[in-house]
Amino acid sequence: MTRVMNAFLPALILTYGCSTGSEDSSQQSTDISPETWAENYHQELTQLVESSEDFAQINALEKTVANVKQDILKPLANALTSRDAEAYESLFANATEQISWMGGTHSEVRNTQGLVEQRWTPDSGDSNISSFFDSVTSIDAADLKVVDIENQSADLAVVTVESDIRTTLSSGFRQQIRGHLTFTCTKSDGGWKISSLVSAALEKNTAERAPAYRDMTAELGLTSLPVEDRKEAIRRGGYALVVADYDQDGMTDMLVGNYGPINLLRNTGSGFEDVTAAAGLDPEEVIKGAGFVDMDNDGDRDIVMLRFTDSDDARGDFVIYENDGDGTFTKHTDLLPRRRQYDTPMPLSMGDYNNDGWIDIYIGFPGVRDFTSGINGSERPDWQASQGIWFNQGNWTFEEAADDNAVVSDNDTYSHAAASTDLDGDGWIDLLVVDDSGRINPVFRNSGTGNFETLGQESGLHYTGMSMGVTTGDFNNDGLLDIMSSHVALNAGSRIAYSMDGLTEQGTTLDRLMEHVRNKYVDLQLFVNNGDGTFTDITANANLNWSGEAAGAGEWLDYNHDGLLDYYLPNGLYSSGDDSLDSLFTRADFLLFGPSAIGEAESGETIPFNIMNDVSGGAIFSKSEEGGANPVLTLLRNYKKGGDKPTMSFGGKQHNALYRNNGDGTFTEVAFLEGVDRVEDGYIIAPVDIDGDGKQDMVMRNTDPALGYSYQPVIALHNEMDGNTLTVKLHSAAGNTDGLGARVTAYIGDSIQSREIRSVNGAVQAEPVAYFGLGSNDISNVDKIVVTWPGGHQQEVTDITSGMLRIDKE
C-alpha cells in the first residue's frame, strides 16, 4: 500500500497545487471553471482508488454493489413506494423464491404507550405483494442499504440488505417493517435479477395512536428565516441555535446563527417575532456557537456569540452583548486576552469552572476544515493553540488559563463540539470534547480551581471517530451521568470492512485496517457511568440501531413523560442528487489515511502517513488553491453529470432517529411512529418547552442545504402527548445565577430521577432547567427535590404543589 501511495504523490501535487516547497508550486493551478475542476478532481479520486492493487478485491465488490443498486435496489424501492406490483415482480428471476409479505409468524416484544413492537418471521413462497400493497394506504419510504456482499462468481452474488419500509395503514396510523434481507442475485444479458429473497426475522412496529409530535414551524412564524446554500465545510455547515428566555417574561425565545446575519426571535406567546435590530444587535454573521448566559451576575441573560472566522477578522471571533434589562443590548468586543495564536473557532461551552460564581468560557479552535479535509493526519504547530479557557473575573474582564492547564496544553485536538458537565459529581465542572478527525476525543477532569487534567485510558472513555456530538444524562436513573456520543459512520465504510472479512491475508496492513474499521467505525456510543470514575461501553447491548450514517449532535429528553431519558439524533450529511460519493470517498480515505489508524505495517516499518497530509503537502483531501479549504464540498457543489444541478450526495437523505428508553438498558427507535423522522440534513437539537405546557418540544437547526436545494433552517416540533411533568428552574443571587452545573434530583415514590442544569453544548443551548416526566404519578407523588449546587452545597425542597417550580439558593 505504501508503494501505491508514493506512486500517486507527484500527480496529486501537480494537479491540485498543494505546497511542495518548490519555487513554482504556486503556479501549478490553472484558470478553470468550478465544474471542470470538480470533474477532474472526481477523476483523480477514481484513478487513485481503482489503480490500487491492494484494493482490487474491494473495488470488485463495490462495482457489484453499484450494479445491484442500479438494477435491483433503486427499482425495488420505487416499486414499493409507488405500490407497483408488476414492477416489483419484474425484478425477480424466480417468482416462487420470495418472502410472503402477508404470511408468517408474529411474536410481541412489548406494547408500550400505544406502540406495539413485534418480531415477524415471514413465510417463503408467493410474495402476496399485491395484497400487501392493498393493506396500506401509502408506503412513505423504502430504504434499502447493502451492508454486506459476497461475490461467488462474476454472475452470482449474495447481498445482505438493511431494509426499512415505512407505511401508513388504513387506520391512518403508522407501521414500520425493518430488518435484514438476503438477496441472491444473478447477472444475465438484461442485468442483475433477484433469484431468491429470504429473511430470518424482521421488526414490525405499529402505532395505535397519533404521533407524539406535530410540526409547528409555519404556525410559529419560523418559515421566514433566511435559507443559504452550503458554502463551508461538510458537517461544519451548520450554525448556532439558542432556545431560552432572554427577557424574563416566562416564554422561551430563540437566537439563530446563519452564514449571513443572525436572527434574535422573541416569543410572543403565539409565535416568534424578529427583534434583532430593535434589540440593538448588529447583523453578526457566521455565528457557530452562541448562548443566553448571565455573564455579569445582574440577574438577566446576556448573549454570547462565537464567529467562525480567524482572529485577524476585524469583526472579532468572539463578542458578548450585555443585556440592558429593557429588551436591548450593549456590545462588548476584544474581551479575551490571548498569549498564543488561535485558529478559526467553532465549538463553545460555558460553566463556572473554578466555582467563584462567574461563568467561564471554553472555545475550541479546529480551523476551517473538517474530517473530509485530511485533518486526521495533520499536526498543529506549537505556536497555534487548539483550545482555550478564559476565566471570568467580573466587570467584563477575563483571564486566559495557564499553559499547564491540560485543556490549553493539549494541542492535537480538532474539536467539533464540547460539553461542560460535572461528570463525577464532585461539584466541579468537567469538560468533554469531541474531535471529528477520527483520532481522539479527550475527556478533561476538573481537578479543582478550574485546573483540568486528562483522564487516562483506565476511565474507559478513550474512544475515537468522525465525532459530531456528545451529551450526558442519567438514562438508567441511578443518579450518575452517562454519556452518549455520535459519529459519522458511512454505510460504505462498514460495508467494505464486513464484506472483506475473511478475504484478506491475516496480519497484513489491509487485514488490520479492515478489522480496525469493523471494531471502531460506529455511529453511536453509550457509556454507562460505573460510579467509580470509570465508564463501560454498553452500545452493543443497548439496541441503538437504525441511526442512519451521518449523525449530527443528538440530545437526551423525556418525550413521553415516563421518567426515562430518551435520545433524539439529527441525521444527514449532504443531500443532493441521486449519485453517491460515499463509496469512492471511503475507499480513498482508507487508502490514504487508513494505515495511520493501525500503526505499523506487517514488515515492521511505520507507514509514512505524513507524506499524504497537509503538513508536508500532497493530500488529495487537503486545502488547495482551487479546491479551497474543503475540496470534497467543492466537488459536491460543482460536479454536474449531464445537467444543470449538482448530482452527488454524501451521506445524504438520512432519516432522523428517536430512541425511546425501554427502562431495561435497551432502546427502540420510534422516530417514524412519533412523527419526527425528518430527512433534512439535521445538525443540532434543543429539547425545550416552547409554549409553557410542561412538555418537551424540540427545535432543530439543520445544516445549510446543498446548492440548488432548499429546506427550512429551523424546525419546531410540538409535543402532543398527554402526561404529568415537573419543570424546575434554579436561581442563585450569589452568582452563577442560573445554577449552571447544579444537579437536581427528584424523589418520586420508589423512583429517583437526576438532571443537570447545563449551558452551551458546542453549537446549541436549550433552556437551563431540569425536566421530569412523572409517568402515572402527579405532583402530589413528588416527595422531595434535592439540589446539589456547584461546589457541593445541598438544598432540599418538600413543598411541591405545582408543575412549574423555581428554587432560590439558600
Side-chain angles (χ1 to χ4, degrees):
M1 190 179 297
T2 303
R3 175 179 54 79
V4 175
M5 287 192 290
N6 275 304
F8 272 91
L9 181 59
L12 295 176
I13 293 173
L14 291 175
T15 302
Y16 299 109
C18 299
S19 174
T20 63
S22 60
E23 293 181 1
D24 62 348
S25 62
S26 61
Q27 301 175 6
Q28 297 295 338
S29 62
T30 58
D31 186 16
I32 59 176
S33 70
E35 291 82 3
T36 300
W37 184 93
E39 184 176 348
N40 291 342
Y41 187 74
H42 185 266
Q43 289 176 352
E44 194 80 17
L45 277 175
T46 303
Q47 183 186 9
L48 172 71
V49 169
E50 292 184 351
S51 299
S52 168
E53 295 177 10
D54 296 285
F55 274 31
Q57 286 180 298
I58 292 176
N59 293 335
L61 289 171
E62 286 299 282
K63 183 177 181 180
T64 302
V65 168
N67 290 332
V68 168
K69 284 183 179 180
Q70 185 64 37
D71 292 351
I72 296 176
L73 298 186
K74 288 183 179 180
L76 180 57
N78 290 334
L80 289 169
T81 54
S82 62
R83 296 192 292 164
D84 187 335
E86 183 177 352
Y88 177 90
E89 296 288 359
S90 71
L91 299 170
F92 289 83
N94 187 340
T96 62
E97 295 295 327
Q98 305 182 31
I99 65 170
S100 174
W101 288 96
M102 299 301 291
T105 59
H106 296 78
S107 59
E108 187 170 288
V109 177
R110 62 178 58 86
N111 187 334
T112 304
Q113 293 184 309
L115 303 185
V116 181
E117 300 175 49
Q118 295 176 311
R119 293 291 178 267
W120 172 40
T121 303
D123 293 332
S124 60
D126 185 4
S127 70
N128 313 115
I129 194 65
S130 295
S131 298
F132 173 64
F133 289 158
D134 291 340
S135 71
V136 301
T137 59
S138 66
I139 295 181
D140 303 274
D143 296 332
L144 305 170
K145 296 180 180 179
V146 178
V147 295
D148 197 2
I149 183 169
E150 179 184 349
N151 262 349
Q152 297 188 342
S153 71
D155 301 326
L156 178 64
V158 178
V159 180
T160 303
V161 174
E162 184 182 273
S163 171
D164 187 350
I165 300 171
R166 305 171 188 223
T167 74
T168 300
L169 304 176
S170 58
S171 63
F173 299 145
R174 301 181 177 197
Q175 185 177 80
Q176 191 166 11
I177 302 170
R178 59 192 179 189
H180 289 85
L181 303 172
T182 301
F183 291 70
T184 300
C185 306
T186 55
K187 183 182 178 183
S188 63
D189 292 340
W192 289 87
K193 294 280 187 180
I194 306 170
S195 59
S196 71
L197 172 60
V198 298
S199 172
L202 300 170
E203 295 180 14
K204 184 180 284 187
N205 298 335
T206 307
E208 297 181 338
R209 57 166 171 78
Y213 284 93
R214 179 171 62 90
D215 189 335
M216 287 188 65
T217 307
E219 188 175 334
L220 292 172
L222 296 174
T223 55
S224 61
L225 291 173
V227 179
E228 296 267 4
D229 61 81
R230 191 92 58 92
K231 297 181 177 68
E232 295 181 46
I234 299 296
R235 176 52 82 186
R236 293 179 185 167
Y239 298 89
L241 175 67
V242 182
V243 188
D245 181 9
Y246 78 84
D247 57 0
Q248 302 184 82
D249 64 355
M251 292 182 289
T252 301
D253 309 303
M254 192 182 308
L255 185 138
V256 181
N258 303 296
Y259 183 82
I262 58 169
N263 298 99
L264 178 63
L265 306 174
R266 181 177 174 272
N267 190 337
T268 66
S270 59
F272 291 92
E273 63 173 351
D274 193 319
V275 296
T276 311
L281 273 60
D282 290 339
E284 307 286 359
E285 297 179 334
V286 289
I287 299 300
K288 290 287 187 178
F292 292 147
V293 182
D294 186 2
M295 299 299 295
D296 55 359
N297 285 339
D298 64 352
D300 50 32
R301 292 170 181 158
D302 311 297
I303 301 178
V304 181
M305 285 186 273
L306 187 65
R307 190 189 311 280
F308 192 58
T309 186
D310 61 68
S311 56
D312 293 332
D313 192 318
R315 298 173 298 176
D317 59 4
F318 179 81
V319 297
I320 295 179
Y321 281 86
E322 178 184 356
N323 193 328
D324 295 329
D326 58 0
T328 65
F329 295 82
T330 299
K331 186 174 182 178
H332 295 275
T333 59
D334 299 322
L335 295 175
L336 305 182
R338 308 186 189 194
R339 294 187 304 275
R340 299 156 70 188
Q341 181 173 331
Y342 291 88
D343 208 339
T344 307
M346 181 173 159
L348 172 70
S349 194
M350 307 181 76
D352 184 6
Y353 300 131
N354 56 4
N355 279 343
D356 65 352
W358 298 90
I359 300 302
D360 309 309
I361 298 164
Y362 164 88
I363 302 175
F365 296 87
V368 297
R369 295 163 300 127
D370 65 9
F371 72 91
T372 63
S373 304
I375 60 173
N376 55 352
S378 60
E379 297 175 354
R380 199 180 262 107
D382 291 339
W383 49 263
Q384 190 174 65
S386 70
Q387 302 176 96
I389 287 180
W390 285 266
F391 295 105
N392 190 341
Q393 305 295 298
N395 197 30
W396 304 107
T397 62
F398 294 84
E399 180 183 350
E400 192 174 10
D403 288 343
D404 61 356
N405 192 306
V407 176
V408 178
S409 61
D410 174 3
N411 211 35
D412 297 325
T413 303
Y414 288 81
S415 50
H416 186 89
S420 298
T421 176
D422 185 3
L423 201 56
D424 51 9
D426 64 353
W428 295 88
I429 298 295
D430 309 304
L431 189 63
L432 304 178
V433 178
V434 295
D435 181 325
D436 65 346
S437 72
R439 303 172 307 145
I440 55 175
N441 282 303
V443 180
F444 299 103
R445 179 183 177 273
N446 194 329
S447 55
T449 69
N451 190 33
F452 290 85
E453 58 187 13
T454 306
L455 282 186
Q457 292 187 3
E458 64 277 4
S459 69
L461 289 177
H462 274 240
Y463 59 102
T464 63
M466 293 184 290
S467 305
M468 298 294 115
V470 65
T471 186
T472 58
D474 180 14
F475 86 93
N476 55 1
N477 286 347
D478 64 355
L480 304 171
L481 291 180
D482 311 299
I483 299 172
M484 186 81 85
S485 64
S486 57
H487 321 270
V488 169
L490 298 173
N491 176 54
S494 57
R495 177 183 64 237
I496 290 169
Y498 281 101
S499 298
M500 289 296 292
D501 192 11
L503 298 182
T504 53
E505 183 180 346
Q506 189 173 4
T508 62
T509 299
L510 184 58
D511 177 65
R512 292 159 64 194
L513 171 59
M514 294 297 102
E515 182 180 5
H516 174 84
V517 175
R518 286 192 292 271
N519 293 334
K520 302 294 185 182
Y521 200 67
V522 296
D523 39 28
L524 287 176
Q525 285 181 287
L526 175 59
F527 297 90
V528 66
N529 192 330
N530 299 320
D532 59 1
T534 67
F535 292 78
T536 301
D537 185 342
I538 63 168
T539 313
N541 296 322
N543 196 34
L544 292 168
N545 302 315
W546 309 103
S547 66
E549 53 188 290
E555 188 54 271
W556 297 104
L557 76 163
D558 182 1
Y559 87 91
N560 55 359
H561 331 305
D562 65 353
L564 298 168
L565 285 179
D566 313 299
Y567 181 79
Y568 188 76
L569 181 69
N571 215 317
L573 201 56
Y574 194 90
S575 298
S576 187
D578 291 333
D579 292 341
S580 175
L581 184 64
D582 301 14
S583 176
L584 180 59
F585 171 86
T586 300
R587 283 178 283 163
D589 191 47
F590 286 172
L591 184 61
L592 294 176
F593 305 134
S596 69
I598 57 174
E600 297 183 348
E602 62 273 15
S603 60
E605 85 272 14
T606 301
I607 294 287
F609 171 70
N610 281 342
I611 66 169
M612 298 305 291
N613 69 33
D614 59 312
V615 175
S616 52
I620 197 168
F621 294 138
S622 295
K623 182 176 180 179
S624 68
E625 183 175 339
E626 291 169 341
N630 291 85
V632 174
L633 179 59
T634 303
L635 168 63
L636 290 167
R637 283 176 57 87
N638 296 286
Y639 187 81
K640 300 174 182 178
K641 188 177 179 181
D644 297 329
K645 277 190 173 184
T647 58
M648 282 191 166
S649 287
F650 183 42
K653 304 176 183 177
Q654 302 292 305
H655 293 278
N656 295 347
L658 172 61
Y659 292 96
R660 187 193 64 196
N661 190 335
N662 296 322
D664 59 1
T666 69
F667 295 80
T668 300
E669 200 286 302
V670 296
F672 174 65
L673 302 183
E674 300 293 23
V676 290
D677 61 327
R678 312 290 303 198
V679 292
E680 302 97 344
D681 294 339
Y683 182 49
I684 49 180
I685 184 75
V688 65
D689 183 2
I690 296 175
D691 55 359
D693 64 356
K695 300 169 187 176
Q696 284 191 294
D697 311 308
M698 290 191 283
V699 177
M700 179 168 59
R701 179 64 168 98
N702 295 316
T703 59
D704 288 345
L707 183 65
Y709 291 80
S710 183
Y711 47 72
Q712 295 300 321
V714 174
I715 302 295
L717 302 167
H718 184 259
N719 194 324
E720 307 274 297
M721 284 195 74
D722 292 331
N724 298 318
T725 64
L726 169 65
T727 302
V728 178
K729 299 181 180 182
L730 302 183
H731 182 262
S732 171
N736 184 4
T737 57
D738 283 324
L740 302 180
R743 195 79 60 88
V744 184
T745 304
Y747 293 80
I748 309 165
D750 295 332
S751 68
I752 300 174
Q753 297 181 42
S754 186
R755 306 288 183 258
E756 186 179 47
I757 307 294
R758 283 188 295 151
S759 182
V760 185
N761 182 349
V764 63
Q765 180 195 339
E767 189 82 33
V769 301
Y771 171 91
F772 301 94
L774 303 183
S776 60
N777 297 290
D778 58 27
I779 293 299
S780 65
N781 297 119
V782 181
D783 300 312
K784 62 179 178 180
I785 299 289
V786 175
V787 180
T788 303
W789 296 89
H793 171 69
Q794 286 197 336
Q795 183 175 347
E796 183 176 305
V797 177
T798 56
D799 185 17
I800 304 163
T801 59
S802 170
M804 297 289 179
L805 178 64
R806 168 172 158 161
I807 298 177
D808 291 283
K809 187 176 182 181
E810 295 173 336

